[in-house]
Amino acid sequence: GRQTDAILVFSRRIGLSGNGESTPIAGGTRLTGRVGNYSVGLLNIQQRSKHTSLASNFTALRLRRNVLANSDIGVIVLNKEADGPGYNRVVGTDANFRFFENLDVNAAVARTFSPAGVIPSRRSESMGNAGVHYRDRRWELQGTYVRIGERFNDELGFVPRTGVAKFDSTYGARFRPAPLAKWLRELFPHLGV
């Protein structure tokens, strides 16, 4: 499927303060693997305090299960606990379905939990996206819808903007003219909305 603008886990956020200053890591562990139809990923890192950055513990848990012939569904749980009353949590689920080798359909939803004083508002703390992508030897069609709430606060991820909703789509045909293959591989006239 196509990736949205929001990345729920962005490991480069760990070990850096809010202003980009390096913060020491006390230690951590990572576990990844497969158990039958399940894929498991676990990350836990303890960050030390430095100047204005509080000591924090970062945990990410991802569980994904293969379904049907070539599809999957999954859940993710993220937790950041800072010394004192600070915390940030994210829970989410996603599904990626692949049909006929040409059609991908995906959807994801997530919600964040932070103390009310972190982002003062009563607006949405959730995000969601849905997408459809079809490609065969000639045609490529895709559409994606993304909505990120005003209070969506993922301190372990990368979310460039909150309070947005956007639709993106592309429709086009691919041509590979054999007589011109030495200098022209493909033509892809398309319309983007």
Side-chain angles (χ1 to χ4, degrees):
R2 292 178 54 95
Q3 192 173 28
T4 66
D5 292 340
I7 300 171
L8 292 182
V9 179
F10 190 61
S11 61
R12 293 181 183 174
R13 301 268 323 245
I14 301 171
L16 293 177
S17 68
N19 62 4
E21 179 182 292
S22 178
T23 305
I25 301 293
T29 186
R30 180 179 70 172
L31 170 71
T32 60
R34 297 191 69 76
V35 178
N37 284 332
Y38 290 90
S39 173
V40 178
L42 174 66
L43 174 73
N44 183 273
I45 296 178
Q46 181 65 41
Q47 177 179 284
R48 293 186 177 148
S49 63
K50 183 177 179 184
H51 305 299
T52 59
S53 294
L54 297 173
S56 301
N57 181 270
F58 299 86
T59 302
L61 172 64
R62 171 77 164 136
L63 180 65
R64 189 178 71 212
R65 185 183 196 293
N66 294 335
V67 295
L68 304 174
N70 192 21
S71 301
D72 60 79
I73 56 174
V75 295
I76 191 167
V77 178
L78 308 175
N79 187 50
K80 176 185 174 186
E81 292 283 336
D83 279 354
Y87 67 88
N88 177 247
R89 297 181 181 101
V90 179
V91 294
T93 186
D94 67 327
N96 300 288
F97 295 99
R98 294 162 197 91
F99 302 107
F100 318 114
E101 297 182 14
N102 299 7
L103 178 63
D104 294 337
V105 178
N106 57 64
V109 294
R111 186 177 191 281
T112 63
F113 302 88
S114 298
V118 173
I119 299 179
S121 171
R122 292 181 181 246
R123 299 194 178 211
S124 174
E125 293 178 285
S126 65
M127 66 95 49
N129 67 51
V132 176
H133 184 225
Y134 176 84
R135 180 175 179 174
D136 62 18
R137 300 188 86 204
R138 174 63 51 139
W139 299 101
E140 182 165 358
L141 315 164
Q142 73 83 22
T144 305
Y145 176 76
V146 178
R147 186 197 57 76
I148 303 174
E150 296 85 350
R151 288 197 75 227
F152 189 79
N153 179 34
D154 179 6
E155 295 180 15
L156 271 77
F158 177 72
V159 181
R161 285 182 55 195
T162 59
V164 296
K166 110 179 163 177
F167 174 74
D168 174 299
S169 64
T170 304
Y171 315 94
R174 297 183 178 280
F175 301 96
R176 294 186 176 212
L180 307 176
K182 287 185 178 182
W183 60 274
L184 178 66
R185 181 176 174 196
E186 179 179 80
L187 290 171
F188 180 50
H190 61 279
L191 171 65
V193 177

